[in-house]
Amino acid sequence: MFSRTQTILIPVISVVLGLLIGAVVMLVSGYNPIEGYSALLRGSLGDSFYIGETIRQITPYIFAGLAVAFAFRTGLFNIGVEGQLLVGWIASVWVGLAFDLPKIIHLPMAVLAGAIAGALWAFIPGLLKAKLRVHEVIVTIMMNYIALHLVNYLVRYVISDQQNTTSRVPESASLKSPFFEALTEFSTMHYGIFLALAGAIIYYVILEKTSTGFELRSVGFNQNASQYAGMNVNRNIILSMVISGAFAGLGGAMEGLGTFGYAFIHGAFSGVGFDGIAVALLGGNVAIGVVLAAALFGILKQGALIMPLQSGVPTELVEIVIAIIIFFVASSYIIAYLLQRFKKGAQ
Amino acid sequence: MDYVIEMLNIRKEFPGIVANDNITLQLKKGEIHALLGENGAGKSTLMNVLFGLYQPEKGEIRVKGEKVNITSPNIANDLGIGMVHQHFMLVDTFTVTENIVLGMEPKKGFTIDMKKAERDVKEISDRYGLRVDPKAKIADISVGMQQRAEILKTLYRGAEILIFDEPTAVLTPQEIKELIQIFRTLIAEGKSIILITHKLKEIIEVCDRVTVIRKGVGIDTLDVEGATPNQLASLMVGREVLFRTEKTEAEPKDVVLQISKLNVNDARGVRAVRDLDLTIRAGEILGIAGVDGNGQTELIEAITGLTKISSGSIKLSGKELSSYKTRKITEAGVGHIPQDRHKHGLVLDFPIGDNMVLQTYYQRPYSKLSMLNNKEINKQAKKLINEFDVRTPSEYTQARALSGGNQQKAIIGREIDRDPDLLIAAQPTRGLDVGAIEFIHQRLIDQRDKGKAVLLLSFELDEILNVSDRIAVIYEGNIIAVVNPKETTEQELGLLMAGSKKKEEGDIKHV
Ligand SMILES: Nc1ncnc2c1ncn2[C@@H]1O[C@H](COP(=O)(O)OP(=O)(O)OP(=O)(O)O)[C@@H](O)[C@H]1O
Ligand SMILES: [Mg+2]
């Protein structure tokens, strides 16, 4: 539909428009947009501590974005990233607590447990879709609630002794990085960002470079033609959900083994999984796009914490900006139309 | 002279290609005007410009003498221009009426006045002799009826000028006759028609004038009266066209496909193929003739593993295929040019290069250790694009952007190049221009001469009679006769296809 330059321009213009309209909103409500935005930037990139915090924030966004994007590229809509992330989180913490092993085995095992748990959680909607044609959106939404309450139960009654949090995972299963902590004035930055970037590369390779990715994409576009070509459509639907869920589960493991180092009772959804939908959309469902979009989200969300203290602009403004950006990306036809007009006018 | 539509010096470019270059087309009131050109010549593009789907880079459009700027199909509608696309644009789960009034529903207070809508639709349908049931669901009616729903849609919106993009490509001979009747009624009611078709006989039969374009350039507009098919064909292709495929006598050898006592149910669970027996040998082309809906589709889907069979056996060179999945059947040596190129033949969102390896992407040299080798894939694509004259800017172009006929050539190239022992060609030349048809027929005959078996399914009796070595007539899911094309006539085939002659009568030649 859109040309290559358009696919790049549309998200960029959306971001610019989002920020501009955010500025207008600030003006109208009596704040100084320059002060507001500079406070936001200082709060996310202003010094090494904030940079560390922002990078830590970006990590799960990358995984959540990849999870949504992977399903999307293969014709499925995974709204269940939130739930898959939660089960990944608890599984990685559980493995971290249950075993006593050298780090070189323990940490990969705990990370892997997160991926497997997320994959299994996504396997169910995949199976239902493949075998019974139940729409994955319905099932994944319901599975989110099951995940939330199941995880809370596990935290309280299985992994801890009627506590609100589990104990901390031992050093041998932790992603925490004393090196980065020292470098960033003791922010919570951990090694997870490297795993996230590796995840983006794996995403690219699976989808674009392997014969499995060829099949997954083909089934996503046209099931009839894929069946005609001898591909196993049902198997590919399940596989797509499983890989998507694994990315989501890894996002949870980053929180469980890195950011927090434990699991706790969630009163409500963390929202990272849902933000993953926006990240994937803004990133055009390609690896590099998802990383960039996750970075933007990380910066905005992190900066939003400091903005009210330094400039008086309430945190919610960032939510408005994000909402406007997503609005423009989602209604990209408006921008495509404007671009076309602009080109015509210039001629 | 009064023209209702004038398209003057239209130019339309796509990335890497000029689809329309300085084309002029003028439509008189009350005429049927043919638009003729090879596959990829730019016919659909030109009509999409007129219908407001594309904006031309240059040129002007006049409606009844007045210069207009058609920037969207809504504006085209307001100007009285309606279009029946080659690939229908209907909502399957809606009724005919719901589809027709979509976007301009008659209101009663806040609710849709469905009763009135149905009455209106019925009224228009009767006036033009369309005989469409306004309450029928689109999914439940035949392709011919769906097309009429599309025609109704344009009439309901007050179209005075109707554009038809290859309307007859998807119809059976009977439906074509009826459509031509509908054209005549439309003209009698004061409408004007632009008709795109590759069938020269149709142009000669119904059209008043014809505009010929070649490779995006307007060649000529002439009166149909006095023109011959040969003349039109050479204008369009730019060289002489033979119209007849040269072939030698077949030399059938071993049995390649042996079907016995085959029973297959259709999607609704109704028996579509009954106790069918069929044999095809190496080195022969077996044509299947029959009225659409007599089990042809199910037979082919059963052979290719797309549908499960109820009972019976399908053997390829002695190997039982009926329990195999599609992939194993393909690997065993079956190639398949499917009837519906958009549904089965292509992944439209993939580049044409990837589509060329749709069944073989996982094999060497296209993949090694599960890693795709794009260089090899694109090399293969380039080869097929050249060999089969697929007109595309490059192998990276999305299949969707190719013209209908070039999509078809790409599929045929892919299937023939795999050199299967059994090639199933279901309506292989649907939507192809005369030059391309000639070429494809020759390639099918070449496969035969190489000692391969070819199963040809076609609703065009011409094609069946010209290309096949034997003709099997299918009726109600059963092969009721096998005849020699040299010893039969269209009339006899027609009678057989209608089921009016039965095997028992004993006067059917078995070859
Ligand atoms: N959306 C598009 N993007 C890029 N190229 C296009 C697009 N639509 C058509 N083309 C190109 O423009 C040329 C003309 O295509 P068009 O569909 O008009 O041909 P046509 O005359 O209708 O052929 P056919 O008889 O095969 O339907 C082709 O080369 C095609 O590849
Ligand atoms: Mg066309």
Side-chain angles (χ1 to χ4, degrees):
Chain A
M1 265 299 99
F2 298 128
S3 69
R4 190 170 233 142
T5 34
Q6 270 180 347
T7 38
I8 297 171
L9 269 179
I10 287 169
V12 172
I13 294 176
S14 302
V15 169
V16 173
L17 283 175
L19 292 173
L20 281 177
I21 295 177
V24 173
V25 172
M26 280 192 250
L27 270 178
V28 170
S29 14
Y31 300 107
N32 181 341
I34 297 178
E35 263 179 37
Y37 280 137
S38 41
L40 188 142
L41 271 185
R42 253 177 290 147
S44 54
L45 303 170
D47 64 31
S48 63
F49 173 80
Y50 289 133
I51 292 177
E53 287 297 314
T54 301
I55 290 175
R56 188 263 305 154
Q57 184 78 31
I58 291 170
T59 307
Y61 279 142
I62 292 180
F63 277 117
L66 291 175
V68 177
F70 195 91
F72 198 80
R73 286 287 298 279
T74 52
L76 296 168
F77 208 15
N78 183 3
I79 308 283
V81 172
E82 186 74 39
Q84 293 142 20
L85 188 141
L86 284 174
V87 296
W89 185 334
I90 193 80
S92 63
V93 169
W94 181 74
V95 169
L97 292 173
F99 298 91
D100 189 11
L101 294 161
K103 185 158 190 164
I104 194 147
I105 302 170
H106 201 182
L107 179 58
M109 209 166 98
V111 170
L112 207 63
I116 291 171
L120 283 176
W121 207 248
F123 171 79
I124 298 168
L127 185 74
L128 289 171
K129 166 109 182 177
K131 294 288 171 202
L132 302 170
R133 301 286 144 199
V134 188
H135 205 286
E136 75 276 11
V137 166
I138 313 279
V139 183
T140 50
I141 288 176
M142 294 195 297
M143 297 279 294
N144 280 342
Y145 288 95
I146 302 175
L148 179 67
H149 296 295
L150 177 73
V151 165
N152 284 351
Y153 175 85
L154 290 176
V155 170
R156 174 154 302 192
Y157 296 108
V158 181
I159 304 181
S160 83
D161 194 11
Q162 309 220 2
Q163 303 293 308
N164 287 337
T165 66
T166 66
S167 354
R168 275 180 180 282
V169 294
E171 213 290 309
S172 60
S174 172
L175 280 170
K176 289 217 174 287
S177 158
F179 171 71
F180 282 130
E181 282 172 11
L183 205 67
T184 59
E185 298 168 56
F186 300 97
S187 78
T188 49
M189 181 177 173
H190 54 83
Y191 287 121
I193 186 68
F194 295 110
L195 292 176
L197 293 176
I201 293 170
I202 290 170
Y203 172 98
Y204 170 77
V205 171
I206 294 181
L207 214 48
E208 315 283 353
K209 295 287 166 202
T210 67
S211 53
T212 309
F214 187 101
E215 260 186 42
L216 286 165
R217 282 182 290 129
S218 174
V219 170
F221 281 131
N222 185 343
Q223 295 191 3
N224 288 312
S226 306
Q227 195 200 0
Y228 154 89
M231 302 172 193
N232 184 337
V233 170
N234 286 343
R235 195 190 76 111
N236 276 291
I237 288 174
I238 297 172
L239 183 64
S240 159
M241 280 308 281
V242 163
I243 295 177
S244 170
F247 278 120
L250 283 170
M254 297 306 104
E255 302 291 71
L257 305 176
T259 308
F260 294 95
Y262 54 87
F264 53 87
I265 291 193
H266 279 75
F269 291 120
S270 72
V272 173
F274 297 123
D275 285 335
I277 299 171
V279 169
L281 193 65
L282 181 60
N285 299 308
V286 295
I288 178 77
V290 166
V291 170
L292 292 175
L296 179 78
F297 268 63
I299 290 169
L300 289 175
K301 293 265 175 163
Q302 189 56 40
L305 301 176
I306 303 302
M307 195 170 58
L309 306 176
Q310 295 203 354
S311 67
V313 180
T315 335
E316 284 74 14
L317 183 97
V318 164
E319 299 299 331
I320 294 179
V321 171
I322 289 178
I324 295 169
I325 293 173
I326 295 311
F327 169 80
F328 280 114
V329 177
S331 53
S332 50
Y333 281 90
I334 298 178
I335 295 182
Y337 179 77
L338 290 178
L339 279 175
Q340 208 176 14
R341 273 289 134 114
F342 187 71
K343 235 167 63 187
K344 273 239 171 95
Q347 271 174 5
Chain B
M1 185 66 233
D2 291 346
Y3 292 114
V4 274
I5 295 282
E6 288 176 273
M7 301 185 78
L8 303 172
N9 311 103
I10 300 294
R11 181 183 175 88
K12 174 69 203 164
E13 298 165 16
F14 289 116
I17 205 158
V18 183
N20 289 164
D21 187 5
N22 203 16
I23 298 185
T24 292
L25 184 146
Q26 292 167 307
L27 178 70
K28 292 180 190 166
K29 186 164 168 54
E31 78 167 339
I32 305 184
H33 194 118
L35 183 56
L36 180 66
E38 285 181 290
N39 295 126
K43 306 178 294 292
S44 300
T45 305
L46 188 69
M47 288 304 104
N48 285 333
V49 167
L50 181 57
F51 193 55
L53 285 167
Y54 297 147
Q55 307 309 309
E57 267 76 42
K58 261 192 216 142
E60 79 178 53
I61 300 175
R62 291 195 197 148
V63 176
K64 295 191 184 119
E66 230 156 280
K67 189 171 179 234
V68 290
N69 200 0
I70 308 177
T71 48
S72 80
N74 285 336
I75 295 178
N77 274 330
D78 293 344
L79 291 168
I81 301 169
M83 182 156 176
V84 176
H85 294 269
Q86 187 174 350
H87 302 103
F88 303 150
M89 308 200 167
L90 296 166
V91 184
D92 263 6
T93 49
F94 278 16
T95 66
V96 171
T97 305
E98 284 166 342
N99 266 287
I100 289 169
V101 300
L102 199 65
M104 47 190 315
E105 304 85 354
K107 296 270 168 56
K108 196 159 69 186
F110 284 108
T111 57
I112 298 175
D113 189 351
M114 242 337 139
K115 283 264 149 44
K116 175 171 165 25
E118 272 166 16
R119 250 182 292 126
D120 292 350
V121 169
K122 180 101 183 42
E123 198 260 321
I124 304 175
S125 167
D126 289 345
R127 172 137 58 100
Y128 295 94
L130 295 173
R131 285 183 285 127
V132 176
D133 173 7
K135 290 184 186 147
K137 264 217 182 86
I138 294 296
D140 298 337
I141 60 180
S142 71
V143 172
M145 279 297 162
Q146 292 180 5
Q147 188 175 63
R148 292 182 189 190
E150 286 275 16
I151 299 174
L152 269 176
K153 204 159 91 184
T154 66
L155 294 172
Y156 185 84
R157 286 163 166 67
E160 291 295 318
I161 295 120
L162 284 92
I163 306 166
F164 288 87
D165 192 350
E166 294 192 41
T168 58
V170 290
L171 299 183
T172 60
Q174 181 55 32
E175 287 172 325
I176 293 176
K177 276 198 197 120
E178 290 168 15
L179 181 65
I180 288 174
Q181 202 46 53
I182 293 169
F183 285 165
R184 300 221 157 100
T185 319
L186 287 168
I187 295 296
E189 293 277 333
K191 313 281 181 196
S192 315
I193 294 175
I194 300 177
L195 171 67
I196 299 180
T197 177
H198 289 295
K199 299 179 189 166
L200 303 172
K201 274 202 271 182
E202 284 168 9
I203 295 184
I204 305 237
E205 188 181 345
V206 295
C207 296
D208 300 298
R209 295 194 304 148
V210 51
T211 292
V212 183
I213 60 179
R214 195 193 302 154
K215 299 199 168 139
V217 186
I219 299 294
D220 200 2
T221 299
L222 59 158
D223 287 330
V224 167
E225 205 170 310
T228 63
N230 281 44
Q231 188 190 352
L232 291 180
S234 45
L235 259 183
M236 155 182 138
V237 185
R239 63 171 168 87
E240 282 297 317
V241 180
L242 286 176
F243 280 115
R244 214 166 16 87
T245 19
E246 304 292 336
K247 68 173 211 231
T248 54
E249 205 53 39
E251 293 169 23
K253 298 198 177 63
D254 300 342
V255 171
V256 172
L257 182 73
Q258 172 101 53
I259 298 178
S260 35
K261 291 257 169 291
L262 183 68
N263 284 290
V264 186
N265 289 348
D266 69 11
R268 280 164 300 170
V270 180
R271 177 116 327 161
V273 175
R274 299 162 195 276
D275 289 336
L276 180 142
D277 296 325
L278 189 67
T279 307
I280 309 180
R281 294 175 177 276
E284 70 166 351
I285 300 177
L286 178 99
I288 295 208
V291 177
D292 194 13
N294 274 286
Q296 296 95 321
T297 310
E298 289 77 12
L299 171 64
I300 288 177
E301 289 190 345
I303 302 173
T304 52
L306 292 170
T307 300
K308 279 213 179 75
I309 69 167
S310 303
S311 65
S313 120
I314 303 171
K315 285 199 174 111
L316 185 77
S317 311
K319 226 186 310 167
E320 182 63 41
L321 287 188
S322 54
S323 62
Y324 281 10
K325 294 227 162 65
T326 304
R327 165 130 318 155
K328 262 189 120 178
I329 294 172
T330 308
E331 287 174 349
V334 176
H336 177 197
I337 300 163
Q339 273 188 70
D340 188 334
R341 56 176 169 251
H342 282 184
K343 187 175 173 194
H344 286 121
L346 294 167
V347 177
L348 288 173
D349 298 284
F350 269 5
I352 199 68
D354 286 355
N355 272 294
M356 291 299 202
V357 294
L358 208 56
Q359 296 104 328
T360 45
Y361 62 90
Y362 61 93
Q363 293 167 350
R364 275 168 191 256
Y366 313 124
S367 282
K368 247 184 237 164
L369 303 170
S370 278
M371 297 303 276
L372 294 172
N373 185 342
N374 282 314
K375 224 167 99 194
E376 285 295 332
I377 291 175
N378 288 322
K379 204 171 99 193
Q380 166 74 358
K382 255 204 194 112
K383 184 192 114 186
L384 292 179
I385 286 169
N386 286 332
E387 196 178 326
F388 287 84
D389 188 28
V390 180
R391 304 207 181 146
T392 168
S394 80
E395 61 274 26
Y396 304 105
T397 307
Q398 267 193 5
R400 189 183 292 289
L402 264 61
S403 82
N406 283 300
Q407 292 172 345
Q408 183 71 13
K409 287 194 264 179
I411 297 172
I412 296 175
R414 177 182 75 204
E415 297 307 308
I416 290 185
D417 187 68
R418 288 214 323 278
D419 210 14
D421 294 337
L422 171 68
L423 176 64
I424 300 172
Q427 309 225 61
T429 57
R430 184 184 253 186
L432 294 189
D433 65 53
V434 285
I437 290 177
E438 193 183 287
F439 174 71
I440 296 306
H441 284 168
Q442 197 52 56
R443 291 304 305 250
L444 293 179
I445 292 165
D446 290 350
Q447 283 305 105
R448 178 200 80 169
D449 292 344
K450 276 167 79 180
K452 309 289 178 181
V454 178
L455 173 65
L456 171 69
L457 168 71
S458 174
F459 296 127
E460 311 262 346
L461 288 184
D462 278 357
E463 179 164 54
I464 289 277
L465 284 164
N466 277 335
V467 181
S468 317
D469 300 311
R470 285 191 303 146
I471 301 174
V473 180
I474 191 167
Y475 179 72
E476 293 189 341
N478 202 320
I479 303 292
I480 58 161
V482 180
V483 297
N484 184 333
K486 292 211 193 75
E487 295 166 12
T488 188
T489 60
E490 281 201 28
Q491 282 73 14
E492 192 193 23
L493 272 183
L495 284 174
L496 285 169
M497 284 160 58
S500 61
K501 270 185 169 180
K502 284 263 154 60
K503 254 181 182 170
E504 293 80 55
E505 289 174 26
D507 62 342
I508 305 297
K509 288 143 275 184
H510 283 265
V511 195

